[in-house]
């Protein structure tokens, strides 16, 4: 019943932009911290961006100033705006939820991932 569905990935040239979306269902969205992770082949999955239930944001150093995470609680959706894309941004991007409050505090879910490929 819980579902996180990413969309918006694709092929883009270096310097270009993409906006990823993650639509959540089956959770109380406003009670969940939301994050974007990414994983390139042969590398560990890394946290890219985080947004708390209160709207506080954090970014990994490599994307600071280029990526923006936001959420729309009315739409149960979290976004990742990616600008000035680099080849090193190529990865599968995953949406993650973690309950920050409530009976299910600490419970976490993952989306299926969406491929982002940045070409030269």
């Amino acid at each position: 019943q819980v579902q996180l569905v990413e969309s918006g990935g694709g092929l883009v040239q270096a310097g270009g932009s993409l906006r990823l979306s993650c639509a959540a269902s089956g959770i109380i969205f406003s009670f969940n911290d939301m994050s974007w992770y990414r994983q390139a082949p042969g590398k560990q999955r890394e946290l890219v961006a985080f947004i708390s239930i209160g709207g506080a944001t954090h970014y990994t150093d490599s994307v600071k100033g280029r990526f923006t995470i936001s959420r729309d609680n009315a739409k149960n959706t979290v976004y990742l705006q990616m600008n000035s894309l680099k080849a090193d941004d190529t990865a599968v991007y995953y949406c993650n939820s973690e309950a920050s409050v409530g009976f299910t505090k600490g419970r976490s879910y993952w989306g299926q991932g969406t491929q982002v490929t940045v070409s030269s």
Side-chain angles (χ1 to χ4, degrees), residues 25-91:
S25 59
I27 61 171
I28 303 175
F29 184 80
S30 63
F31 289 0
N32 280 258
D33 296 333
M34 302 298 298
S35 299
W36 288 97
Y37 289 74
R38 67 186 180 189
Q39 188 167 27
K43 308 199 83 174
Q44 291 191 30
R45 190 170 299 188
E46 67 168 340
L47 177 66
V48 176
F50 166 92
I51 185 165
S52 75
I53 62 172
T57 58
H58 302 276
Y59 302 91
T60 193
D61 286 345
S62 63
V63 309
K64 285 179 181 174
R66 300 188 297 120
F67 290 10
T68 303
I69 188 170
S70 61
R71 65 191 295 159
D72 186 340
N73 287 349
K75 295 181 178 178
N76 288 354
T77 301
V78 64
Y79 305 94
L80 186 67
Q81 178 67 47
M82 305 187 294
N83 298 327
S84 302
L85 282 160
K86 306 173 179 179
D88 286 348
D89 297 319
T90 295

